[in-house]
C-alpha cells in the first residue's frame, strides 16, 4: 500500500457489506460508518504508529467503536510485531484491521480484533453530533479516507457547488428560483451569506430582490471538484 487512501476502498467495501453507510474524511475522521444510529470510525495509516494510536483514542470520544487499519506487514502473520499490536489495541479497546493484497492485487480486509465499547474518555456528545450531521448531509462517499486535505468536499461546499452548477447552466436567478430549479434547502443562506465568496449579485429590476451569478472563483471551484461531484 503506497498511500493511506489505498486502504480506504477495501475498508469501505467491507463496512458497506455489513450494512453501514460509509463516508470518507468526515470531521477529521478518515472513515465514518453509520448504521441504525451506531457510529463506527476507522483511522487509516501506512504504519502502526504512535500518531495513529493518538488519533484513534481521540475518536473514541465520538464513536461507538474505533478501528485502526494498517497494511498487513511484509512478513504477514509471521511478523513478530503483530502480537504486540494486538495486545496494545486490546488494552486500549480499539479494533485492529489489516489490509493486504490477494494474488489478483485486490485489497483484502482482515479484522483481527473488534473494539470494545470504550469506557474512557467521557464521550463528547457535541462532537459526535457534528460528525453524524456532516456524515448524513453528504449525498455520497466522494472523499477517500486518508487523502490530502486539499480536496475534501464538505457538505456545505457540496451544496454551494450545487448552486453554482444551476446558476452556470441557467443564468442569473433569484435565490427562490434557484431552489425551484432543484437547489438545496439552504440556497437562500448560501447565496445571502456568500461565505465562500463565490457569488456576485445585482438588483432584480422586476422585484425588490437580487439576481445571483457565479463568479470566476466559483467556476474554478466547480472545475476543481468536478471529479468528486
Amino acid at each position: 500500500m503506497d498511500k493511506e487512501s489505498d486502504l480506504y476502498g477495501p475498508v469501505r467495501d467491507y463496512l458497506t457489506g455489513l450494512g453501514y453507510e460509509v463516508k470518507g474524511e468526515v470531521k477529521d475522521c478518515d472513515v465514518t460508518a453509520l448504521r441504525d444510529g451506531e457510529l463506527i470510525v476507522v483511522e487509516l495509516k501506512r504504519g502502526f504508529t504512535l500518531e495513529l494510536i493518538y488519533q484513534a483514542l481521540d475518536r473514541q470520544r465520538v464513536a461507538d467503536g474505533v478501528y485502526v487499519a494498517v497494511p498487513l506487514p511484509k512478513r504477514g502473520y509471521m511478523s513478530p510485531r503483530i502480537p504486540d499490536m494486538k495486545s496494545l489495541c486490546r488494552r486500549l479497546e480499539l479494533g485492529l484491521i489489516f489490509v493486504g493484497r490477494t494474488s489478483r492485487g485486490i485489497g483484502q480486509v482482515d479484522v483481527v480484533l473488534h473494539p470494545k465499547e470504550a469506557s474512557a474518555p467521557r464521550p463528547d456528545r457535541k462532537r459526535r453530533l457534528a460528525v453524524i450531521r456532516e456524515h448524513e448531509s453528504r449525498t455520497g462517499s466522494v472523499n477517500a479516507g486518508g487523502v490530502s486535505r486539499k480536496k475534501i468536499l464538505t457538505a456545505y461546499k457540496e451544496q454551494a457547488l450545487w448552486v453554482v452548477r444551476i446558476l452556470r447552466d441557467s443564468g442569473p436567478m433569484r435565490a427562490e428560483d434557484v431552489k425551484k430549479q432543484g437547489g438545496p434547502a439552504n440556497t437562500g443562506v448560501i447565496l445571502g451569506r456568500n461565505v465562500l465568496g463565490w457569488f456576485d449579485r445585482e438588483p432584480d429590476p422586476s422585484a425588490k430582490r437580487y439576481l445571483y451569478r457565479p463568479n470566476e472563483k466559483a467556476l474554478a471551484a466547480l472545475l476543481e471538484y468536478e471529479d468528486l461531484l
Side-chain angles (χ1 to χ4, degrees), residues 14 54 58 74 89 158 221:
Y14 168 76
Y54 285 156
D58 178 69
K74 291 183 179 180
C89 287
E158 180 183 348

Side-chain angles (χ1 to χ4, degrees), residues 144-215:
V147 300
S148 166
R149 302 283 171 179
K150 182 179 179 181
K151 293 191 70 174
I152 299 302
L153 188 59
T154 64
Y156 182 85
K157 187 175 287 186
E158 180 183 348
Q159 292 161 352
L161 288 168
W162 187 358
V163 173
V164 171
R165 179 179 286 175
I166 291 173
L167 290 173
R168 181 199 64 183
D169 295 343
S170 302
M173 282 191 289
R174 296 178 299 176
E176 54 263 44
D177 294 327
V178 174
K179 192 172 179 180
K180 290 177 182 177
Q181 290 285 336
N186 60 339
T187 293
V189 174
I190 290 172
L191 290 171
R193 294 183 180 176
N194 197 19
V195 173
L196 299 172
W198 286 357
F199 306 100
D200 297 331
R201 68 181 187 179
E202 60 189 44
D204 181 359
S206 63
K208 293 182 180 180
R209 296 286 191 276
Y210 288 103
L211 298 176
Y212 294 90
R213 69 175 72 242
N215 56 31

Side-chain angles (χ1 to χ4, degrees), residues 22 36 47 75 82 103 106 127 144 152 155 181 186 198 225 228:
V22 183
D36 300 328
R75 292 182 61 184
I82 287 183
S103 58
I106 301 172
R127 280 182 59 195
I152 299 302
Q181 290 285 336
N186 60 339
W198 286 357
Y225 288 93
L228 296 181

Side-chain angles (χ1 to χ4, degrees), residues 7-206:
L7 304 170
Y8 175 71
V11 170
R12 175 202 59 207
D13 294 345
Y14 168 76
L15 292 170
T16 299
L18 295 177
Y20 289 93
E21 182 185 32
V22 183
K23 305 286 175 68
E25 294 295 345
V26 176
K27 293 289 185 181
D28 295 330
C29 302
D30 286 343
V31 183
T32 55
L34 199 60
R35 183 184 68 184
D36 300 328
E38 179 192 18
L39 176 63
I40 297 296
V41 170
V42 185
E43 288 300 315
L44 312 174
K45 275 289 183 293
R46 291 175 57 194
F48 193 84
T49 64
L50 192 56
E51 180 186 3
L52 174 63
I53 296 301
Y54 285 156
Q55 290 175 345
L57 292 177
D58 178 69
R59 305 308 184 251
Q60 284 181 333
R61 297 180 65 88
V62 301
D64 297 298
V66 179
Y67 291 86
V68 295
V70 295
L72 183 67
K74 291 183 179 180
R75 292 182 61 184
Y77 288 97
M78 298 297 292
S79 171
R81 295 190 61 204
I82 287 183
D84 292 334
M85 294 163 68
K86 292 174 65 176
S87 177
L88 179 60
C89 287
R90 188 177 291 111
R91 285 174 177 267
L92 297 176
E93 301 174 336
L94 298 171
L96 177 61
I97 296 175
F98 288 132
V99 181
R101 293 285 188 187
T102 66
S103 58
R104 297 182 179 181
I106 301 172
Q108 179 173 313
V109 167
D110 188 5
V111 180
V112 296
L113 195 64
H114 288 285
K116 292 182 180 179
E117 185 175 349
S119 57
R122 183 175 299 175
D124 188 330
R125 290 181 175 83
K126 186 176 180 180
R127 280 182 59 195
R128 174 186 172 87
L129 182 59
V131 170
I132 291 175
R133 282 178 173 170
E134 177 70 16
H135 180 106
E136 292 180 334
S137 295
R138 298 188 187 176
T139 58
S141 183
V142 296
N143 299 317
V147 300
S148 166
R149 302 283 171 179
K150 182 179 179 181
K151 293 191 70 174
I152 299 302
L153 188 59
T154 64
Y156 182 85
K157 187 175 287 186
E158 180 183 348
Q159 292 161 352
L161 288 168
W162 187 358
V163 173
V164 171
R165 179 179 286 175
I166 291 173
L167 290 173
R168 181 199 64 183
D169 295 343
S170 302
M173 282 191 289
R174 296 178 299 176
E176 54 263 44
D177 294 327
V178 174
K179 192 172 179 180
K180 290 177 182 177
Q181 290 285 336
N186 60 339
T187 293
V189 174
I190 290 172
L191 290 171
R193 294 183 180 176
N194 197 19
V195 173
L196 299 172
W198 286 357
F199 306 100
D200 297 331
R201 68 181 187 179
E202 60 189 44
D204 181 359
S206 63

